[in-house]
Amino acid sequence: MVEEKMDIVFVGHVDHGKSTVIGRLLADTDSLPDGKLELVQNTCKQNNEPFEYAYLIDALKDERAQSITIDSARVFFQSDKRHYIIIDAPGHIEFIKNMVTGAARAEAAVLVIDANEGVMENSRRHGYLLGMLGIKQVLILINKMDIAGFDQKVFENIKKEYLKFLTDINIEPMDFIPVSGKFGDNLTSPSKLTSWYKGKTLLESLDRFEKISSDKNTPFRMPVQDIYKFSNYGDNRRILVGTPTSGRLNIGDEIVFYPSGKHNNIKTFESYKSTSPESILTGQASGFTLKDQIFVKRGEVVCKANERAPMISTKIRASVFWLGNNPLSINKSYIIKLGTSRVEGQIGEIHRVTDADSLRASEKKRISRHEIAEVTINFKIPIVFELSETHNDLSRFVILDEQQIWGGGIILEAIQDDDEKLREGVFTRNSQWIRSQVTYKDRVERNNQHSSLLLITGQQNSGRKKLASMLETKLFLEGKQIYYLGVGSILYGLNADIKRDDAVEWKEHIRRISELAYIFMDSGTILVMTAVELTQEDLHVIDSIVGPKKVKVAWVGDDVTTDIEFDLHVNVNMNFENSVVKIKELLMDQGAIFKL
Ligand code: GDP
């Protein structure tokens, strides 16, 4: 029995014949459901229009709900050697989206060029994109040879032109094949009409593509897709779901979540089937429960404790491809999706911009539609990634602008950021954290609130302390677990061993204050802290240690004298009570206090 599977993407300029070639390939390899070909042919006859093999693909897609032959934009067929999953990539965006979101993990590509139109812009752009996304196995079909009279010269000229382009972008194609999708020449059997062509057919060539074997020693990686909570009938299970992108995981294995550093052990694998597996492998959508209940989020990456760690940074060098109508600009915020995480990032620097068609390079301040660039990206929080080819899923990403995917890229290098030490500290703390029997969730249920760190900052004598104290009293009387802690109380106590008026030492003050706040967060408390003129840099450290979602900032006073990005600007001179109400609303919006 044939067991091996391979994902192949078909690309090419519109109307150059991708769907026709795929349709004909399915028909000639008997891969269509019974009667499908006749059905589509009859429909064409009834409608008085010529039959097209491309209609088969549309017809299969239409019935994807009932048929197992097709699922979204994928078509399946089989040769003597293996099963093929063909990904139809109608446009650049779909292609990038499929490639990066893992919907398709193409190991090889077939690029279709119309013999009569020759190499078009998109033939070049698609080629570039394949190279950029690390798809090294490429086969070129020069299609519609029937219209070109099966002329060898036409074939050779296009081959020569496109080969030069591919060589320029470092792609070594496996072969160029003269074909006719419409008449089936050189698809599954050699054509008599191209006696000058001594090479292989499309089907033979597909079988020559090599499987990129994920080596047995490749470390396990699984981006967390979701966490299912079951609370019915005393079922307290939390099931973490996702699809391993490499490696193998067994029951009992010790795992580490990155970037948080939380440790745990696999208790069970969950399955809808009657028997649950003992281990899970690359590509298998899986669910599992943990030995101890811990809080982890979608987007974290599950790794094995005894294997190599993934890379983590807030700064990377990457190659990006942009398709947006608005240019990709420096210092504008975009959402970047990598694995299952979505992180805000900005282009910090543009090193080089290349036109994907002409391959001309230039220095620019922004990246326009269809351009490719080498850039530095700064992320708001650390991302977890890989650089090796066996971990494509964790090295490719898409870029969203206003919730739409407009570009994609591949990570070339990790750049060391200033936070590395800080992150290591948090990671070690999390991995060494001793868990109590009473979980954070138990505390949320009992206290009827989530924990939160509210920073009240502003100039000297702006009323911060009075405001914090009033807020504490009000919420305390309402039954909340709240604690007001002035930074001064820590500087002269917990931090008494470090200098107070020293810029270098200040970072250590902030680190300790943040670690203290973290303990309060774990205890389920709303912690109100007052400090004079906190800066964005201070907030960045606090966010890194406490977790940005937990932290809210209120600036008190007319003048804003630092660069801190606050959530609320209050002017207590107007009315303290009013300000307390506004802060309470802020905590409600954050979800710390539940709205009734
Ligand atoms: P796609 O946009 O790349 O999927 O292109 P289609 O497969 O839809 O083909 C576009 C048009 O080219 C259709 O009208 C096809 O009938 C025609 N076509 C595709 N392949 C061939 C071929 O080998 N010979 C001829 N004569 N026409 C073809």
Side-chain angles (χ1 to χ4, degrees):
M1 217 175 73
V2 185
E3 280 204 354
E4 194 175 277
K5 284 191 194 140
M6 182 178 264
D7 286 34
I8 294 187
V9 65
F10 270 62
V11 290
H13 194 80
V14 66
D15 278 348
H16 278 200
K18 287 185 304 289
S19 313
T20 305
V21 169
I22 300 172
R24 181 85 200 205
L25 191 63
L26 292 182
D28 291 357
T29 51
D30 277 336
S31 305
L32 294 165
D34 275 348
K36 188 91 235 163
L37 181 63
E38 295 74 21
L39 190 78
V40 176
Q41 280 171 335
N42 283 340
T43 313
C44 288
K45 212 177 270 169
Q46 276 163 18
N47 296 342
N48 238 347
E49 55 176 336
F51 166 74
E52 292 261 356
Y53 279 96
Y55 294 161
L56 285 168
I57 307 299
D58 298 335
L60 289 172
K61 279 181 192 168
D62 285 347
E63 65 176 53
R64 66 169 165 248
Q66 303 124 43
S67 167
I68 51 155
T69 315
I70 184 110
D71 121 26
S72 75
R74 306 196 290 168
V75 187
F76 302 90
F77 87 98
Q78 192 182 328
S79 72
D80 293 340
K81 183 167 179 185
R82 53 165 90 105
H83 293 274
Y84 286 100
I85 301 152
I86 293 192
I87 307 135
D88 189 10
H92 289 109
I93 294 276
E94 287 84 353
F95 176 58
I96 295 191
K97 207 153 61 180
N98 282 346
M99 283 305 298
V100 175
T101 53
R105 278 185 202 94
E107 291 164 76
V110 175
L111 195 140
V112 181
I113 299 176
D114 183 331
N116 309 285
E117 283 203 351
V119 179
M120 303 292 282
E121 278 180 339
N122 272 350
S123 321
R124 282 189 285 262
R125 283 181 191 142
H126 277 133
Y128 202 111
L129 218 55
L130 293 174
M132 198 187 95
L133 292 173
I135 303 174
K136 297 276 177 349
Q137 306 193 81
V138 186
L139 193 61
I140 320 295
L141 301 184
I142 312 287
N143 187 34
K144 306 196 191 180
M145 284 303 293
D146 53 297
I147 305 181
F150 294 98
D151 185 348
Q152 183 178 7
K153 243 193 231 125
V154 173
F155 173 77
E156 295 295 346
N157 283 342
I158 295 176
K159 179 175 168 180
K160 196 171 151 204
E161 179 186 351
Y162 200 61
L163 191 59
K164 181 175 181 315
F165 174 80
L166 290 179
T167 310
D168 286 347
I169 58 171
N170 270 331
I171 294 185
E172 195 182 325
M174 189 165 90
D175 229 332
F176 283 77
I177 313 178
V179 300
S180 164
K182 192 165 180 170
F183 298 104
D185 296 84
N186 291 328
L187 295 187
T188 55
S189 57
S191 169
K192 290 194 182 66
L193 300 165
T194 54
S195 50
W196 45 265
Y197 173 71
K198 302 289 178 231
K200 305 249 183 288
T201 62
L202 170 62
L203 193 60
E204 286 167 335
S205 302
L206 292 179
D207 281 350
R208 285 176 62 219
F209 279 139
E210 276 171 34
K211 211 51 220 147
I212 303 169
S213 62
S214 98
D215 165 5
K216 278 202 193 70
N217 301 323
T218 315
F220 179 83
R221 304 285 184 254
M222 188 193 93
V224 175
Q225 175 83 38
D226 214 338
I227 295 116
Y228 294 145
K229 287 170 218 154
F230 294 84
S231 43
N232 289 344
Y233 311 112
D235 185 351
N236 276 325
R237 280 177 308 161
R238 276 165 154 256
I239 301 182
L240 278 85
V241 297
T243 305
T245 55
S246 63
R248 169 195 282 267
L249 190 66
N250 301 309
I251 288 182
D253 277 349
E254 188 183 357
I255 55 168
V256 189
F257 292 88
Y258 286 82
S260 73
K262 291 181 181 171
H263 272 242
N264 220 308
N265 289 77
I266 301 293
K267 189 172 162 199
T268 59
F269 290 115
E270 300 292 319
S271 167
Y272 290 110
K273 295 187 193 135
S274 51
T275 52
S276 298
E278 285 291 307
S279 62
I280 55 170
L281 289 170
T282 314
Q284 288 177 343
S286 310
F288 57 78
T289 59
L290 299 171
K291 191 164 137 261
D292 301 309
Q293 222 182 62
I294 53 166
F295 179 73
V296 286
K297 291 180 294 227
R298 176 194 161 97
E300 292 211 46
V301 179
V302 182
C303 303
K304 266 164 63 169
N306 59 357
E307 291 182 335
R308 175 177 66 74
M311 309 192 82
I312 307 176
S313 185
T314 55
K315 215 175 187 150
I316 54 156
R317 194 168 59 83
S319 192
V320 297
F321 189 95
W322 188 243
L323 299 161
N325 295 323
N326 299 321
L328 180 64
S329 311
I330 286 183
N331 295 337
K332 182 182 165 198
S333 287
Y334 296 93
I335 294 293
I336 298 186
K337 242 186 113 203
L338 173 86
T340 54
S341 70
R342 293 162 70 95
V343 180
E344 199 179 316
Q346 294 191 342
I347 306 292
E349 268 177 84
I350 299 176
H351 307 292
R352 185 159 35 107
V353 179
T354 310
D355 183 297
D357 179 21
S358 68
L359 299 184
R360 220 171 296 127
S362 55
E363 276 184 31
K364 285 189 177 178
K365 290 272 166 285
R366 54 219 295 234
I367 304 157
S368 308
R369 189 176 164 80
H370 288 138
E371 282 180 337
I372 288 155
E374 219 178 277
V375 297
T376 299
I377 304 179
N378 301 317
F379 292 92
K380 210 158 182 185
I381 56 170
I383 56 156
V384 180
F385 59 95
E386 290 283 354
L387 295 174
S388 83
E389 269 185 30
T390 40
H391 286 292
N392 267 335
D393 299 66
L394 284 177
S395 58
R396 294 169 182 166
F397 57 87
V398 284
I399 309 171
L400 285 83
D401 188 13
E402 286 167 8
Q403 308 194 20
Q404 280 240 38
I405 294 179
W406 287 119
I410 189 154
I411 302 177
L412 303 172
E413 184 188 30
I415 301 176
Q416 224 185 24
D417 57 19
D418 304 337
D419 294 344
E420 198 163 304
K421 244 186 100 200
L422 202 65
R423 210 164 39 234
E424 272 171 19
V426 172
F427 189 87
T428 312
R429 174 249 281 158
N430 282 348
S431 63
Q432 300 297 328
W433 193 262
I434 296 165
R435 282 190 289 274
S436 69
Q437 286 282 338
V438 183
T439 66
Y440 175 74
K441 189 168 154 264
D442 296 335
R443 295 176 205 277
V444 171
E445 278 170 10
R446 175 135 111 222
N447 297 334
N448 212 17
Q449 67 179 56
H450 273 284
S451 56
S452 170
L453 170 61
L454 177 74
L455 298 169
I456 300 186
T457 188
Q459 281 180 286
Q460 286 282 8
N461 305 322
S462 54
R464 286 170 289 115
K465 292 176 193 161
K466 184 174 171 195
L467 178 64
S469 174
M470 280 179 71
L471 177 76
E472 182 194 33
T473 310
K474 181 174 164 61
L475 291 184
F476 179 80
L477 292 175
E478 288 178 9
K480 298 294 166 217
Q481 184 171 318
I482 184 164
Y483 190 80
Y484 161 45
L485 184 63
V487 161
S489 315
I490 307 169
L491 297 189
Y492 296 95
L494 182 66
N495 290 4
D497 58 325
I498 34 180
K499 276 191 252 155
R500 272 178 296 280
D501 299 320
D502 182 300
V504 180
E505 299 291 1
W506 180 246
K507 216 169 174 177
E508 177 57 16
H509 277 293
I510 290 287
R511 189 194 70 79
R512 287 196 198 174
I513 291 165
S514 306
E515 284 294 348
L516 181 62
Y518 179 82
I519 298 171
F520 274 92
M521 296 304 101
D522 194 51
S523 76
T525 310
I526 295 171
L527 180 63
V528 185
M529 271 193 175
T530 51
V532 179
E533 295 184 315
L534 287 176
T535 63
Q536 188 59 22
E537 197 186 332
D538 298 333
L539 180 61
H540 177 70
V541 176
I542 298 168
D543 276 349
S544 307
I545 293 175
V546 178
K549 286 215 170 101
K550 286 276 176 203
V551 187
K552 289 285 160 195
V553 182
W555 182 275
V556 186
D558 284 339
D559 299 327
V560 179
T561 46
T562 78
D563 60 347
I564 196 164
E565 287 171 17
F566 46 80
D567 300 287
L568 187 69
H569 188 179
V570 284
N571 190 336
V572 286
N573 293 335
M574 314 284 278
N575 185 335
F576 270 97
E577 262 110 44
N578 206 359
S579 304
V580 168
V581 171
K582 276 194 180 155
I583 294 182
K584 190 180 163 189
E585 282 169 3
L586 180 69
L587 292 170
M588 281 178 162
D589 288 341
Q590 185 194 17
I593 301 179
F594 305 140
K595 292 179 189 171
L596 288 177

